[in-house]
Amino acid sequence: MSAVCLSSVARAYDGARALDDVSLTAPNGHVLALLGPSGSGKSTILRLIAGLEPVDSGEIHFGDALVSSRSHTMPAEARRVGFVFQDYALFPHLNAAANVAFGLDKRQRAERELEALRWLDRVGLKHRAHSFPHELSGGEQQRVALARALAPRPHALLLDEPFSGLDPVLRAELREITLGTLAETRTTTLFVTHDAEEALLVADRLAILKGGRLLQEAGPRDAYDHPNSHDVAAALGPVNVFKASVENGAVHTPFGAVRAEHLGGAASARAVVRAEALLLRPGTQARLLDVRPSGAHDLARIEAQGVIWRALIPPRSALADTVDVEIHPSGAFAFSA
Amino acid sequence: MALAAAHTPRAARTSIPTSWSAQGILALAATLICAMPAAAVLVLAATGGVTGLNIDLLGDGVLGTLGLASVGGGGAIILGASAAWLVSLCVFPGRGFFTWALVLPLAAPSFVLAYAYASMTWAGAAPIAVSGFWGAAFIYAFGLYPYVYLAARAAFMSQSSCALEAARSLGARSRDVFLRVALPLARPGIVAGGALAILEIAADYGAAQHFGITTLSTAIFRAWYAHGDAIGALQIASLLLIAALVFLVIERRARGRAAFAGGSTRWRPLPRYSLSPGVAVAATLFCATLLVLGAGLPLLWLTRLALLHADISELARPMVNSLSLAGVGAIIALALAAIIAAAARTGGALGKASLFAAGMGYAAPGAVIALGALALFGLAREAGIVGGLGAGLALTALFWVYAARFAAAGVQPIDAGLARLSKGLDASARVLGANSWRRLLRIDLPIAAPSLAAAALILFVEILKELPATLILRPFNFDTLAVQAYAYASDERLLEAAAPSLLIFIAGLAPILILSRGITRSRPGAR
């Protein structure tokens, strides 16, 4: 195992920038989650690390070893990285055991088969060793793909939205199995997802990307509590936004003030308030438009001065038609606009 | 089998371990192999000038080909489109069986059907007298309707059920749904299939010759053998080639449009009409008639004659010759088709050029390509590159013609195999440490193997059925099954022609059944 380190990496397709000056480190034995919408460049990062594509500029290191630079690309087959593709890319003509054994070519045949079975056992699929991919369920295919990627003991494991095709219950279960296996094997992992909740759950470190640029790299708690931009705050959960000038060190929204001393007397600023940072209690400050159940929280829509915000509130809150609103400072941020 | 000719180059992907330039050279060579005989015909015909033109022969040939193409081709279009509509969108007894069985007439080349019906007529056993112009048109209509049937059925099956349901919910009766919605949507498919049927009619030599019709194809032979007029033959061939290219373009463009007619991506079983009992029985009878006249009756008749007069000793040599020609020829054509399919997948100009050249070779009648190859060897001999046209050289020319003519028929099945090799699988094997040879041997070849086998079978049978090019280029006294059937039929010894005809027919059934099943399954949600 070794750390994976990108320095100032750039990549373009037909002149269109897919990745622009990105520097990142996946610490040795930890999980780095890459979060961003489609087209943010997160899958490109995995392909560059795997050596499936060359970098246009910048460098990629595994530990001390340089694997990609402008002048040199170590071939993918020599890199020893594990890759779990979004569609799993299991070989359709090989059974589960043979798929897992594919990367173990340096050993005796019997030893190889035993090793493959050990890995299938580890992901709870020993009994499916002789099934072909089309006979496996989506979740089983994902676990075979994970075992296949880990079996050759890679320097690093790359997971490209590995749970995206699965239903929510199975997804949570597989996440547990995957994280458990990764922790046991202490594998350096890069995990691509566009699901904020999933990223926060799995990550030791979190990198948020947009349009091929790295917006912020931080621990998950830190990124959530101290986003460095409106985009990062919005990427990690639902937010409300209000634009106004800074007066007396704060942005004054219709629902309350958000502290903004660090912006000085900026003419235009943007207050970004997480939906769960709005506390509602009986009062007259705002109109309560409606309340709907939304899982662990209820989603309320409130209106004041013609502005409508959304608030996540404890379920079954007894509220009248009008409410007072308090903005909890831990979920309220101000950025220059 | 011309249903193989469609092809859409997709995004680049081959992991065949050749460097870019090596692949480029192979693609260029494939293009030249396919294009050179046809190009030679055009160039040499043009250098012949107009003075040598055999106007009478040319005029008769044009009239004969036009007449047979309109009557025989028109018949094939009406029969094929009606059958496709019935099995795709109506319910009647035997529908499931007819869905795949209606393609069976494609197994027999036109000359085999012609010999079967001629001997039936001679014996007074035919339901109608099959002879002369109308006899040839009958053979084409009932032997070639499956081209239209397949293309039209694919078009009907790929139609969004939503459009048809919408028409019904708007109150359209079944006849109106057919005329105003389904037929216009399927028209590109019908045009494409009709163009293929007409290509086959223009290329046919054996049936037209047997019924004594002068067509462009038979005129080539007449100019060549009876008049000893090489330039005249080349000029007739060039006209036939140009006509074939026009129909090839029509077919490609229609097929291109057919691809856009799909519309909605939501698939449900197509809503089928239940017919009233009387109409349902009529539908069954109609389909049964097509199947019986196109395949069943001639197959039974040929079997009966062959059993009456089975002379194994006379069949043995032609059979060995046919099998070895078809075996070696199929391997060469398969290699050529694989190069073209791989080049086409890269999406480059050379890939497109090789694909077009293969399509041109495929559309061109066998006699035309054979003349082109012969002319090229003639030029090479004048230049002192090769010696006289001995047996070895004749076989070389024959394999060249088979490859140029049939490579296109192998491209689509191979392409379908390459399509199963997703980019992800290749990347997956690479990150697991497999080098390019290991990826080829462990991933690409095993996954593509069924498609390669299908392509090889198709090519094998195409070559087995080929008549005119084999007639022109075969070494002296080298008979194949097709040549033997032709020789007996020319001598009016139709009883003896039955056994080789039957063998060709039976060999032809295998790839037809495989392809038919593949097409039935191609519609998502098809049962």
Side-chain angles (χ1 to χ4, degrees), chain A residues 60-120:
Chain A
I60 300 176
H61 286 85
F62 290 177
D64 295 331
L66 175 67
V67 294
S68 281
S69 69
R70 205 186 157 128
S71 58
H72 163 76
T73 304
M74 182 196 272
E77 47 268 40
R79 288 194 179 201
R80 291 191 54 208
V81 294
F83 203 138
V84 175
F85 293 85
Q86 196 171 356
D87 61 358
Y88 314 138
L90 295 179
F91 303 126
H93 61 303
L94 300 179
N95 65 26
N99 260 284
V100 176
F102 188 91
L104 301 170
D105 57 335
K106 304 260 189 293
R107 282 170 246 196
Q108 298 287 324
R109 187 190 179 87
E111 201 186 330
R112 206 161 61 212
E113 276 169 15
L114 211 63
E115 178 80 358
L117 286 182
R118 257 203 303 278
W119 278 100
L120 281 175

Side-chain angles (χ1 to χ4, degrees), chain B residues 57 61 202 204-210 213-223 240:
Chain B
L57 195 55
D204 173 64
Y205 168 71
Q209 167 73 16
H210 191 76
I213 319 292
T214 303
T215 65
L216 288 171
S217 273
T218 58
I220 292 174
F221 277 78
R222 225 158 352 122
L240 188 51

